[in-house]
Structures are given as structure tokens and as C-alpha cells.
Amino acid sequence: MKQKALAAAQPLSVHLELTYRCNWRCVFCYNPRHFDRAGLTGDEWITVLDDLRFLGTLNVTITGGEPMAHPEIVRILRAARERAFVVRLFTNGTLIDDAAADEIASLNLLAVEVSIHGATADVHDRTTARAGSFDALLAAIDRLVARNVTVIAKLPLTRWNEHQFDDVIALAEARALPLQIDPHITPRDDGDLSPLQYAPSSQAIRRALAIANPEVMERVHGGANCGLGRITLAVDPEGNVYPCMQWRHRALGNVREVALRELWHASPVRAEAADLSTRVNDHLLDLGGPLATFPYCPAIAMQETGDALVPDAGFRLRAGIAAELRG
């Protein structure tokens, strides 16, 4: 199915950023701002969902900012489920009270994914710049779990929390939560590289990759490096459409000006992004070694090196460590 979707440019997996508003101020956040200029209304988001159904989308991730800060979040989630999408919700959880937890439980989402930034309040709250955020997050997790909602915890690994690696694992295990450990801190979407100062040490990255056992990319010439411009897309709070969540170099257009169902196939930006994915794939094959077998993000490379074909330092480090772990 994936190969057919790649050939047909069918956007299987989509990220919808409902809002950039957020009640946290995480020091490494990839969002360049915490407000919306002219955010899409609930009706406009539902039109986007209708167009995604027309395009053959299967998986919708509702994210932000903090999506629970959108005044019509429950209506949008319900509309996505009514259209038979598989739906994930990315949230910090702290705006989920009992009433919101009841609503979420009624929607049968695939999962609610929450980020945890440490095993103790001092480390977590330092990262979010919000006192009390750790306790509020745990309370939200408990509310959701009590209602049989599938909750996945995610640990963005940083220099500030890597010393609590084992403690976060223990915290997740105590609540029977799956834990995803992400050792990759990225630039902000506007190209600001300052979040990279919080990147974890190489030793912490090694531990994370040893646990995750990352996939080995099986590349062939002429293949696609990733779903860029083919099976992924993202829509930001103001309706700008991008060929994936990370790729913010150029927008395809705006859903307020051209319907998404038309924009997706007509945009030359999408076609250029799809072509780039193939060129990246072939270039990495030519480079060979660990770089050819580790998952690569051309959008991050573009932000960090100015060229999607020039691997960034973080990718080189992770690819080398993964190769060493494989022996």
C-alpha cells in the first residue's frame, strides 16, 4: 500500500497544527511563536478534513502548539473520527480536565501522545518554563488512563534530562505507559538553530539508539528517501500547506485560497519536493556507509546546512553510532 501511495502521491499521513498557542514555553520548542495570526476556524478545519478524505488520507495527527488550546478542538477531533480517520492527538495534557478526558475517551483515538521532560518536577518544569507543569501532566495522564485511553509518553532527550534517563523509564513503567525516546533536538521551523544547544550528549544518544534499535534503510537507486511530497503533508494554523511536518522551506499554498484537494496535485512545490526525495535517496546511496542506511531528514539538513543534500552534523553522529551498535 505504501509503494502504491508513493507512486500516486496519496498523502497517507497528515499533521494538522490547529494552533501555535501553548501554555508551556519549552526551551527547545520547534515552533517559532506561541500565537496565531489568523487561525483557521473549526469550519475551515472540517473542510480540510473533507479534502483529506477525498485525497485518500488514512492517518491524521492533531498537534500544535497545544491543540487543546483551540476553542473547537473536540469538534475537530469528532469530525476526524466521523470521517473514519485514524487519529492521534499530540498534547502536553495539562488542559485536559475531567470533562475533556471524558470527551477524548468517547472518540476512540489511536493514542494520545504526551511529552515528558524529566522524572522530577524541577527538571521537567525547568524545561517547560512553567511551575507545576510536571504534576499537571501526571494528573492528566492518570485521568486518561483511568478512562482506558491509550497514552504514549515521549521523552525528548536533552542535556538537561539525560541524567534522569533511567528514572523516566521507571516512571513510564510504573504507569504501564509505552515510552518513546527521541534523541534528536531540531531547529525551530523558522531556521533558528538555538534549540540545538540543548541536544543530548553522544553517550545519551548511544543509549537511546540502543533501546530504539532504529530501522536500517534499504535504499535502491530511484527510490524515495521519505514521504516528502508524496505520502505526507502538514497544514499550519493559518492554512499554509507543506509537503511534510518538517519541510518549511516553501509552502504549496494556502487552503483559504485554493482547496487542498486541488492544491495537493497541482502545486509545483509538491512535485519539486517529491523529486528532491529521490535525489536525496540517490545521493546518500552514492555517499555509502552509515549515511546510506540511517533514516535521513532533508528538511533538517536544509535548516542546518542550507542544502538538503548535505547531511547535518546530528545525522552524521546518529548514523555513525547506529552503525557501531549494529557491529
Side-chain angles (χ1 to χ4, degrees):
M1 182 179 68
K2 180 179 179 181
Q3 293 305 314
K4 289 181 179 178
L6 284 167
Q10 177 184 348
L12 295 180
S13 298
V14 171
H15 284 77
L16 303 182
E17 297 177 293
L18 297 194
T19 178
Y20 283 145
R21 296 192 297 274
C22 187
N23 57 328
W24 287 3
R25 291 294 183 271
C26 298
V27 293
F28 58 82
C29 181
Y30 58 81
N31 282 330
R33 54 187 165 92
H34 297 94
F35 60 90
D36 301 331
R37 295 190 175 99
L40 299 183
T41 65
D43 286 343
E44 288 174 312
W45 279 117
I46 290 172
T47 297
V48 168
L49 292 170
D50 286 335
D51 284 356
L52 291 175
R53 187 173 185 185
F54 175 85
L55 290 170
T57 296
L58 300 180
N59 307 306
V60 171
T61 297
I62 303 296
T63 182
E66 172 46 55
M68 295 301 298
H70 193 286
E72 297 189 78
I73 174 63
V74 173
R75 181 186 175 210
I76 295 166
L77 286 171
R78 185 177 295 114
R81 290 296 295 126
E82 288 171 349
R83 286 153 180 79
F85 293 118
V86 174
V87 179
R88 295 183 302 167
L89 173 64
F90 289 180
T91 174
N92 67 33
T94 59
L95 299 180
I96 299 177
D97 56 16
D98 285 330
D102 288 340
E103 292 278 10
I104 290 170
S106 73
L107 295 171
N108 193 28
L109 305 183
L110 177 66
V112 175
E113 301 190 14
V114 298
S115 293
I116 185 166
H117 300 293
T120 56
D122 58 332
V123 174
H124 178 96
D125 293 1
R126 180 189 181 198
T127 300
T128 65
R130 289 294 183 266
S133 61
F134 180 73
D135 291 338
L137 168 63
L138 295 185
I141 290 172
D142 291 343
R143 285 191 188 97
L144 293 170
V145 171
R147 291 163 172 80
N148 297 313
V149 175
T150 298
V151 178
I152 296 174
K154 299 182 293 188
L155 170 64
L157 199 58
T158 69
R159 290 190 180 274
W160 284 7
N161 64 29
E162 63 180 56
H163 68 287
Q164 293 191 332
F165 199 115
D166 293 322
D167 295 328
V168 174
I169 292 174
L171 187 154
E173 289 178 345
R175 285 175 162 76
L177 300 178
L179 177 66
Q180 299 173 355
I181 302 171
D182 185 359
H184 189 192
I185 300 301
T186 65
R188 301 199 202 285
D189 285 345
D190 61 0
D192 177 5
L193 301 182
S194 63
L196 302 183
Q197 67 185 292
Y198 302 103
S201 67
S202 59
Q203 293 84 358
I205 293 172
R206 180 179 295 274
R207 282 204 63 194
L209 291 179
I211 291 173
N213 190 25
E215 65 175 307
V216 177
M217 293 290 292
E218 299 289 347
R219 300 181 185 276
V220 295
H221 278 287
N225 169 75
C226 57
L228 180 68
R230 289 188 173 93
I231 62 173
T232 63
L233 72 82
V235 183
D236 77 8
E238 282 91 38
N240 298 304
V241 181
Y242 298 92
C244 86
M245 183 68 171
Q246 292 289 153
W247 186 264
R248 304 301 172 112
H249 182 57
R250 290 177 64 194
L252 278 64
N254 190 285
V255 299
R256 282 175 166 154
E257 298 169 0
V258 180
L260 180 56
R261 66 176 67 193
E262 300 173 14
L263 182 63
W264 177 249
H265 287 296
S267 171
V269 175
R270 186 204 61 76
E272 291 166 8
D275 177 68
L276 174 64
S277 180
T278 298
R279 290 193 289 119
V280 164
N281 173 78
D282 292 354
H283 181 61
L284 290 171
L285 271 174
D286 292 341
L287 290 176
L291 303 185
T293 59
F294 194 75
Y296 178 73
C297 180
I300 299 300
M302 174 67 81
Q303 289 177 320
E304 295 193 30
T305 71
D307 188 337
L309 296 176
V310 178
D312 54 280
F315 167 73
R316 290 180 179 274
L317 174 63
R318 293 189 302 278
I321 291 173
E324 291 173 9
L325 292 171
R326 290 195 296 266

